[in-house]
Amino acid sequence: MPGMAARNAASRVVVSIAAAIRLVSSVVGGLIVLYAVFVLFEANPDNPIVQFTAGVRNDLGAFTRDLFTPEDPKIANTVNALIAAIVWVVGGNLLSKAVTRLAPRPKASSKD
């Protein structure tokens, strides 16, 4: 059954791609959440970890910058960053599910 083996291999590749999408989007979302926590608790902005997470927020989460503008800039930055993280995680999961639907399904075996 070479057709079945190829179908199973293709299915594994598609499922692996979907898992990679979930992993990357979750890591990006997690780093943006970590940045939001650093902002909320006023972490040292010169710390390399804070700078790294700020870079991730600026590069991959900038689409929510100034989305909400409460008077307190710390609260505004935290809320907007958390929304970016939610978009990354939910969007990644939805994309992953869509990719998984592309995986070839095994044909039903006919037993006569």
Side-chain angles (χ1 to χ4, degrees), residues 6-73:
R7 189 177 298 252
N8 287 340
S11 180
R12 282 193 299 272
V13 168
V14 171
V15 168
S16 295
I17 290 170
I21 290 169
R22 259 191 328 273
L23 176 65
V24 168
S25 65
S26 295
V27 167
V28 170
L31 288 170
I32 294 173
V33 166
L34 189 57
Y35 168 76
V37 170
F38 289 154
V39 168
L40 185 64
F41 293 109
E42 300 176 4
N44 177 7
D46 295 327
N47 182 288
I49 296 172
V50 176
Q51 290 177 346
F52 176 73
T53 58
V56 172
R57 161 67 168 129
N58 290 332
D59 294 342
L60 301 174
F63 57 90
T64 60
R65 186 164 307 288
D66 298 327
L67 183 63
F68 294 102
T69 56
E71 288 184 24
D72 185 353

